[in-house]
Amino acid sequence: MGIDRRVARTRTALYDALVALIRAKDYAAITVEDILAEANVGRSTFYAHFTSKDDLLQRSLERLRDLLVGVQQGSGHGADGSNWDPARALFEHVGEYADVQAALAGGHGGAVLREAVDKVLADVLRQAMGVGPAGGLPRELVIQHMVATFNTTLRWWFEHRPAMTPAEADALFRQLLLRGLPRDAVAPFIAAAD
């Protein structure tokens, strides 16, 4: 059974208010009162849905989960009409909210956001992969590797190549996941078997 429309509208108003405030001021300076005023929602209503602004930030990623699950199930399409896959959709979504990501990057909000994104990604992957080993490797190890590689690519993108498009960041992510690193790149860390 779906969520009540009034509840969905209230949560959307609160999520949107938080994003607007993050775009306007430092996350640490945002108070629940600021969120209430921006969303035009009462205190009791806020606390009926969320325990804190951190909880609101974490749970705002439910929309991201819905996007990824929808895309994974084949219902999502790119702006050019082509089918998206979850990884590409995620890079596109992050690109759309790059300013919010940058605003949260260094502070407590960034840590809350990274943890929530990690959880969403891992949960979506668990659902998509089913149970048992993945390609002969432990399932959880594969999931953690994909999440870590996504985070590494994302962080590198924003810190070193912010002008790069989401499609270009996605291509680098795919190369790291599908082809791995060349032998000469890993030689300083591990001995390559011949």
Side-chain angles (χ1 to χ4, degrees):
M1 183 166 116
I3 192 168
D4 180 275
R5 279 190 271 174
R6 288 173 295 159
V7 170
R9 276 194 305 268
T10 298
R11 288 183 182 173
T12 297
L14 290 165
Y15 297 148
D16 292 346
L18 181 60
V19 168
L21 288 166
I22 289 169
R23 287 178 164 145
K25 63 197 266 188
D26 186 62
Y27 181 77
I30 297 171
T31 65
V32 170
E33 289 75 23
D34 294 334
I35 298 166
L36 300 177
E38 183 74 24
N40 195 24
V41 170
R43 179 175 290 283
S44 61
T45 300
F46 177 88
Y47 286 110
H49 297 275
F50 306 102
T51 60
S52 65
K53 77 174 180 182
D54 288 352
D55 183 38
L56 173 62
L57 179 59
Q58 289 171 335
R59 294 189 40 211
S60 71
L61 292 174
E62 291 172 2
R63 296 189 286 188
L64 177 60
R65 178 190 317 273
D66 293 345
L67 169 72
L68 293 176
V69 168
V71 170
Q72 194 268 332
Q73 293 173 347
S75 63
H77 298 281
D80 61 359
S82 63
N83 283 332
W84 273 356
D85 57 37
R88 175 69 181 270
L90 186 53
F91 279 104
E92 293 286 345
H93 179 82
V94 169
E96 184 179 337
Y97 289 93
D99 60 331
V100 174
Q101 176 85 15
L104 292 172
H108 172 71
V112 172
L113 185 64
R114 280 186 300 277
E115 183 179 316
V117 168
D118 287 358
K119 184 177 182 336
V120 167
L121 284 174
D123 288 349
V124 168
L125 288 168
R126 281 185 195 101
Q127 181 181 7
M129 291 173 67
V131 296
L137 295 168
R139 176 176 170 256
E140 281 303 309
L141 177 60
V142 170
I143 290 168
Q144 288 179 22
H145 174 68
M146 286 193 281
V147 170
T149 303
F150 175 81
N151 283 325
T152 299
T153 306
L154 183 65
R155 188 170 52 249
W156 181 86
W157 175 24
F158 286 133
E159 291 174 4
H160 299 283
R161 297 277 176 83
M164 181 182 284
T165 68
E168 292 168 323
D170 180 55
L172 290 173
F173 171 70
R174 289 171 186 283
Q175 182 175 347
L176 288 170
L177 271 187
L178 297 174
R179 292 186 219 123
L181 299 172
R183 276 180 184 240
D184 60 334
V186 300
F189 194 63
I190 60 172
D194 291 321

